[in-house]
């Protein structure tokens, strides 16, 4: 799990070489930072990245960089359950067909 403070500190102190990009699994950007580190442009960009990382809300950082391990992933599951129940009610009322319900169910579950 990535840590926002660690990413910000890496951007501040080693960002000119793109170390924070490697930490955040943005390998292509990290390589570009490393290749152009002699121009000092990556250092300026890293300073901006540092400010962005430190001011970014925790939930936004987690959504962007820790999306598979955040507790917030439970909310869409609850929303999906509620949506499926609503479509099930429509099926029970014969508003939609079984095929339509199955299609919608597959679409929701494969998000």
């Amino acid at each position: 799990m990535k840590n926002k403070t660690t990413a910000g500190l890496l951007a501040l102190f080693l960002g000119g070489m793109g170390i924070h990009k490697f930490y955040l699994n943005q390998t292509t950007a990290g390589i570009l930072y490393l290749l152009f580190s002699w121009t000092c442009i990556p250092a300026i960009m890293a300073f901006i990245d540092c400010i962005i990382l430190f001011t970014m809300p925790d939930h936004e950082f987690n959504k962007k960089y820790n999306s598979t391990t955040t507790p917030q992933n439970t909310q869409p599951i609850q929303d999906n359950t509620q949506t499926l129940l609503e479509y099930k009610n429509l099926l029970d009322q014969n508003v939609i067909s079984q095929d339509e319900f199955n299609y919608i169910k597959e679409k929701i579950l494969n998000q």
Side-chain angles (χ1 to χ4, degrees):
M1 185 164 163
K2 306 295 183 224
N3 184 294
K4 185 174 89 164
T5 305
T6 302
L9 290 174
L10 286 172
L12 182 63
F13 294 111
L14 300 171
M17 293 182 289
I19 303 303
H20 67 295
K21 294 292 186 181
F22 289 109
Y23 176 73
L24 295 172
N25 291 330
Q26 297 176 336
T27 309
T28 305
I31 291 170
L32 288 172
Y33 273 58
L34 198 56
L35 288 174
F36 292 99
S37 63
W38 62 274
T39 65
C40 294
I41 293 172
I44 295 167
M45 292 172 59
F47 183 71
I48 294 168
D49 287 342
C50 172
I51 293 170
I52 291 170
L53 286 167
F54 280 131
T55 59
M56 180 184 292
D58 288 336
H59 65 29
E60 189 176 323
F61 178 86
N62 287 330
K63 183 178 178 183
K64 188 170 183 177
Y65 300 109
N66 295 322
S67 60
T68 58
T69 59
T70 60
Q72 296 170 347
N73 281 346
T74 59
Q75 184 61 35
I77 291 171
Q78 292 170 350
D79 290 344
N80 288 347
T81 304
Q82 183 63 33
T83 304
L84 282 174
L85 286 173
E86 291 170 7
Y87 280 108
K88 176 69 170 132
N89 287 336
L90 291 175
L91 175 65
D92 292 341
Q93 297 170 3
N94 293 323
V95 176
I96 61 173
S97 69
Q98 183 68 44
D99 290 336
E100 290 172 318
F101 176 75
N102 290 337
Y103 174 77
I104 292 167
K105 181 174 78 170
E106 284 298 316
K107 196 171 183 181
I108 290 172
L109 294 177
N110 290 327
Q111 285 181 354

